[in-house]
Amino acid sequence: MTIKNFPCFKCHLPQAVISAEDSVAVELAEALIAKDSAKVAKLQITCVVCHNTKAIIHKRELGEPEKGVLYGKKDVASHGDKTYSKVKTSAIMKDSVFCGQCHGLGPNLEFDQPFQCANLYGSYLHAYIPAGGSRTCQECHMPKGDHLIAPNFNDDKQTSELYAKAIDFDVQAYAYEWLRKAATYVPKVVVNVKMKSNAGHRIPDG
């Protein structure tokens, strides 16, 4: 097992792709096989992933993300951090393509063993946008500009409220008794359900 052929790293631990040794891939593979959830839980998407590692897409034109630099919606000359002392503008930070890097287009065919993973961004591009949608991922999932990216599936109330906004239900039920033959009444019910998605992508997805 190596960093290069560990497909999960692409989205779940992208910082490892550019800064870790192959021993990390071996250690994580062993933890997954052993179902060591405590160790696996320590691997997280940190600030650096979004604000450095994934902040530039067009690397042939713009180069790799600079070390010691964070990227955001605007330049900040002094960031007040010893390691990341400066913030530069990212051309994609406000666009859905930024999120699409991980919440992808479909099969990951670049690996020796291709696999199907998230294709939420594909749903957004191929269904929501052609139907006239115009909102970005950030507008729906980060409406206040903070980093509390909804939904938080550990928060049942918040998740339920988000689903209620995303999906409209119209349910009509009609109950009656069917007189199948003399003196024999059979209870029946007819239920009509209309469901409309207001989300910018299919639900569920990842």
Side-chain angles (χ1 to χ4, degrees):
M1 184 61 68
T2 66
I3 293 291
K4 185 177 180 180
N5 68 13
F6 203 119
C8 304
F9 282 164
K10 176 181 175 181
C11 295
H12 291 279
L13 200 66
Q15 60 268 47
V17 176
I18 60 173
S19 60
E21 298 176 352
D22 287 340
S23 59
V24 173
V26 174
E27 184 179 354
L28 180 56
E30 291 173 347
L32 290 169
I33 293 171
K35 297 182 179 180
D36 187 347
S37 57
K39 179 173 285 188
V40 175
K42 294 179 180 179
L43 307 176
Q44 299 180 4
I45 298 300
T46 64
C47 308
V48 175
V49 171
C50 292
H51 289 278
N52 181 276
T53 308
K54 295 289 186 179
I56 295 177
I57 289 180
H58 300 100
K59 296 180 177 65
R60 184 175 297 174
E61 176 187 351
L62 302 174
E64 295 285 340
E66 297 178 37
K67 292 184 178 180
V69 173
L70 292 179
Y71 293 83
K73 294 187 291 185
K74 61 182 180 180
D75 289 346
V76 179
S78 179
H79 180 239
D81 182 87
K82 292 181 180 179
T83 304
Y84 296 94
S85 59
K86 185 165 49 175
V87 179
K88 289 189 175 182
T89 302
S90 166
I92 59 164
M93 191 66 68
K94 295 186 289 185
D95 300 330
S96 292
V97 68
F98 173 77
C99 306
Q101 293 178 87
C102 288
H103 299 276
L105 287 166
N108 293 273
L109 301 173
E110 70 271 32
F111 297 102
D112 294 338
Q113 184 65 34
F115 67 100
Q116 175 68 53
C117 202
N119 53 12
L120 184 149
Y121 181 59
S123 171
Y124 169 85
L125 283 184
H126 303 148
Y128 174 71
I129 294 297
S134 61
R135 302 186 74 186
T136 65
C137 307
Q138 293 87 331
E139 286 178 284
C140 289
H141 291 273
M142 301 175 70
K144 297 179 181 179
D146 57 26
H147 292 77
L148 303 175
I149 303 170
N152 172 6
F153 292 111
N154 293 318
D155 186 337
D156 291 340
K157 182 175 182 294
Q158 182 222 52
T159 302
S160 297
E161 289 173 352
L162 190 65
Y163 281 151
K165 292 178 181 178
I167 303 173
D168 289 335
F169 282 99
D170 179 18
V171 181
Q172 296 181 358
Y174 177 69
Y176 64 97
E177 290 183 321
W178 178 27
L179 180 59
R180 187 169 186 177
K181 62 181 181 179
T184 303
Y185 293 91
V186 180
K188 301 206 65 160
V189 63
V190 175
V191 180
N192 290 316
V193 180
K194 291 183 180 180
M195 184 170 66
K196 176 187 175 185
S197 173
N198 302 310
H201 49 79
R202 69 172 64 86
I203 300 173
D205 207 307

